[in-house]
Amino acid sequence: MERFTHDLTGTGVLVVGDAMLDRYWMGDVERISPEAPVPVVKVGRQEDRLGGAANAALNAATLGARVSLLAICGADEAAERLTALTSSTTVTPCLIRDPSMPTTLKLRVVGRRQHLLRADFEQRPSEEALQAQTRLFHRLLPSHSVVFFSDYGKGGLAHIRELMQAAREAQKLILVDPKGESYDAYAGATLIKPNRHELQQVVGSWRHEDELTDKAQTLRRGLLVHALVVTRSEEGLTLFDDEGRLHLPTSAETVSDVTGAGDCVGATLAACLAAGWSPRDAVAWANRAAGLAVARWGTTAIAHEELFA
């Protein structure tokens, strides 16, 4: 890879999707509960981090991109923390408050750095909140060159067909981190970035690389998508486009935690696309970002200096 010299500061990335708060309760485990055969964690520390679409926005911002985050959250303590954490970064938060739902929260209980339990708090947003998000999307769209839809299947992108159409008509680059058993709603995107399991949900399993290539290219052409990038965990990352197939083995030397690695990949692709790079130019850096992310514990952001050193 040649040294990356482009300044990403002036690029505009609009991240839209399911923002969430990642909360960690951490402590020591010294005994088993007398009530059930489970460990007792004596919680000594709580840590909150940006998750989901918010983590993707943070990663694009730490690479130097100008980023806005459009998402729906509740009107609760978790929303206040999500807002505060976002406001402490260079990300511009555009959060729609919906009092009918809790802010999406993933609570992880960790004992001696071992992940013991995760509890999820989530609910689909109201139609009123979704309509408010759509109106704000139309106002934000002209000032951004790339739209990054971060779909975690929590309901924040229920109106994605309308949002996609507006972005296409405005001739914006569109990147999608998908979810679900059909990608029809993402048709016409510039790039779609599923992980291995997500792609299998849509095209089925494959026995060898040629079969994967055939299924991936058939899906991509059917959706009129410029590029399909599949993150494959320990197998690395593979890009499919009109030129064919480009596979990159993982750059990870150690794996501590895979949480949020997909957000890092998508954010790197979005920031580089906004800087004028093609998906083929950007994909090697996205693969490097994933390798750096999985070497760390918990959701994390990769800085520009780290990625392009």
Side-chain angles (χ1 to χ4, degrees):
M1 293 182 292
E2 298 180 359
R3 181 172 177 81
F4 191 92
T5 57
H6 285 233
D7 181 7
L8 303 182
T9 308
T11 63
V13 177
L14 176 58
V15 179
V16 189
D18 296 308
M20 57 191 72
L21 185 68
D22 282 0
R23 175 162 289 172
Y24 297 86
W25 285 355
M26 293 173 281
D28 293 328
V29 177
E30 298 178 349
R31 62 193 179 96
I32 301 298
S33 171
E35 303 165 1
V38 295
V40 175
V41 181
K42 186 177 181 181
V43 177
R45 182 162 64 96
Q46 174 178 304
E47 184 175 332
D48 293 335
R49 300 185 185 184
L50 296 173
N55 183 44
L58 174 61
N59 270 271
T62 56
L63 292 177
R66 178 174 56 83
V67 182
S68 300
L69 170 65
L70 176 58
I72 301 172
C73 61
D76 51 15
E77 179 270 340
E80 296 299 328
R81 287 294 295 145
L82 184 65
T83 302
L85 289 172
T86 307
S87 298
S88 67
T89 72
T90 59
V91 176
T92 301
C94 305
L95 302 177
I96 306 295
R97 297 295 184 96
D98 183 356
S100 72
M101 63 172 277
T103 299
T104 301
L105 171 66
K106 291 183 179 179
L107 171 61
R108 296 175 174 89
V109 181
V110 181
R112 295 184 179 178
R113 298 187 70 83
Q114 294 295 317
H115 188 166
L116 302 177
L117 174 70
R118 193 182 94 182
D120 290 1
F121 303 84
E122 61 185 60
Q123 183 177 320
R124 299 181 73 83
S126 66
E127 181 61 27
E128 291 76 12
L130 289 166
Q131 290 176 0
Q133 178 180 249
T134 299
R135 291 192 295 269
L136 185 51
F137 176 84
H138 285 282
R139 294 201 295 271
L140 293 170
L141 187 60
S143 59
H144 298 82
S145 58
V146 170
V147 181
F148 179 9
F149 292 109
S150 179
D151 193 349
Y152 274 80
K154 309 301 182 185
L157 287 175
H159 289 182
I160 191 170
R161 291 181 185 272
E162 179 181 344
L163 304 182
M164 286 278 298
Q165 181 178 350
R168 287 195 301 267
E169 291 175 352
Q171 298 184 325
K172 304 297 181 180
L173 298 175
I174 304 170
L175 190 151
V176 181
D177 198 340
K179 188 68 68 177
E181 298 179 354
S182 172
Y183 292 171
D184 290 350
Y186 312 133
T190 307
L191 187 151
I192 298 180
K193 186 209 70 63
N195 62 33
R196 179 173 52 195
H197 174 69
E198 290 164 343
L199 183 63
Q200 287 174 337
Q201 285 186 300
V202 177
V203 303
S205 60
W206 50 86
R207 293 163 295 178
H208 45 72
E209 292 298 309
D210 287 345
E211 187 175 6
L212 166 59
T213 298
D214 181 64
K215 289 188 173 187
Q217 291 286 37
T218 298
L219 175 67
R220 184 187 65 82
R221 295 188 186 105
L223 294 173
L224 302 178
V225 169
H226 178 74
L228 180 71
V229 175
V230 185
T231 56
R232 303 171 61 184
S233 190
E234 73 282 355
E235 295 178 355
L237 179 154
T238 310
L239 175 144
F240 303 93
D241 61 10
D242 286 339
E243 295 181 42
R245 172 185 181 275
L246 173 64
H247 180 73
L248 298 173
T250 179
S251 64
E253 297 181 2
T254 60
V255 178
S256 176
D257 189 352
V258 298
T259 304
D263 297 330
C264 292
V265 172
T268 305
L269 290 170
C272 291
L273 288 178
W277 287 59
S278 72
R280 283 198 165 230
D281 293 328
V283 73
W285 300 106
N287 187 51
R288 175 169 164 78
L292 293 170
V294 298
R296 302 176 185 178
W297 185 82
T299 48
T300 186
I302 307 302
H304 184 282
E305 311 82 66
E306 297 174 272
L307 185 61
F308 303 122

